[in-house]
Amino acid sequence: MYLKVGVIGYSGDINIPKIKRIENTTIELGRMLAQKEHHILNGGRDGVMELVSKGAKEFNGKVTGVLPWDQEGNEYLDFEIKTGLDFSMRSFILLKSVDVVISLGGEVGTGIEILGAYAYSKPLILLKGSGGWTDRIINNLIEDKYIDNRKLVEAHIANSVEEIENILEKME
């Protein structure tokens, strides 16, 4: 059974150090998701979104970009949803459309997406050591798995793409 997997994280030029540092892992994640025939949804632009899409395309994976405003998506997308909405609002469309969210690094937009996924009770997989808001959230989890005391949904911590794969297999 395939899952609709949202992948969130850093945006920006793929050559800036914080993105370059996780480039191989992000591409590997895209490859794994495609090999498992999961459908990837992301913000459709640059950074983590571009790299995971690139990895997925190496194995003919299906990738949908949920874009802000009227922006064009990266070259690896199969489908573009041009929401006409700002960055934060388009993220909520993405979150409502997925079964699970995987987070790598990220700035404030990713932080908003992590909290939104939790509020929508979407399972989260946080890649430890990827930086940004992903690691900030990991460092503040309650009982190492909840974002707040309501315990709406578990946030899983993964140390590698292989661990992400194992977590996803339990969700299928």
Side-chain angles (χ1 to χ4, degrees):
M1 179 177 108
Y2 84 94
L3 296 169
K4 292 176 287 192
V5 179
V7 179
I8 61 175
Y10 290 121
S11 63
D13 186 311
I14 60 173
N15 293 307
I16 59 176
K18 64 187 174 190
I19 298 172
K20 193 72 174 165
R21 184 177 66 76
I22 61 171
E23 177 179 15
N24 292 337
T25 301
T26 308
I27 291 171
E28 181 185 352
L29 175 63
R31 289 174 183 149
M32 180 275 291
L33 293 171
Q35 286 175 312
K36 297 293 182 178
E37 299 182 354
H38 298 307
H39 188 115
I40 299 167
L41 290 90
N42 62 44
R45 297 174 48 248
D46 49 14
V48 164
M49 300 166 277
E50 179 180 348
L51 294 171
V52 77
S53 300
K54 178 181 179 181
K57 294 320 303 174
E58 292 178 20
F59 289 91
N60 296 314
K62 297 294 178 221
V63 184
T64 298
V66 182
L67 294 155
W69 306 114
D70 291 323
Q71 293 193 357
E72 296 299 317
N74 68 61
E75 65 184 287
Y76 306 105
L77 300 176
D78 294 293
F79 310 102
E80 292 183 357
I81 299 172
K82 294 185 179 187
T83 66
L85 301 171
D86 69 28
F87 291 95
S88 295
M89 291 299 104
R90 71 87 196 257
S91 293
F92 292 104
I93 292 171
L94 184 150
L95 296 172
K96 279 293 207 179
S97 302
V98 299
D99 300 310
V100 59
V101 175
I102 301 171
S103 184
L104 298 88
E107 300 297 347
V108 70
T110 305
I112 291 167
E113 290 167 336
I114 291 169
L115 295 175
Y118 181 79
Y120 289 152
S121 296
K122 300 290 181 168
L124 288 156
I125 303 173
L126 307 170
L127 183 63
K128 189 173 187 174
S130 59
W133 275 100
T134 299
D135 283 334
R136 288 185 193 108
I137 295 290
I138 288 171
N139 292 331
N140 289 287
L141 291 173
I142 297 167
E143 299 173 17
D144 292 327
K145 57 185 169 183
Y146 300 108
I147 290 181
D148 72 8
N149 288 311
R150 293 176 296 165
K151 301 179 180 178
L152 297 174
V153 68
E154 195 169 325
H156 304 271
I157 301 169
N159 294 294
S160 66
V161 172
E162 184 179 338
E163 287 185 18
I164 292 172
E165 182 178 0
N166 292 336
I167 294 166
L168 288 172
E169 284 176 2
K170 294 175 185 167
M171 293 179 184
E172 291 178 13

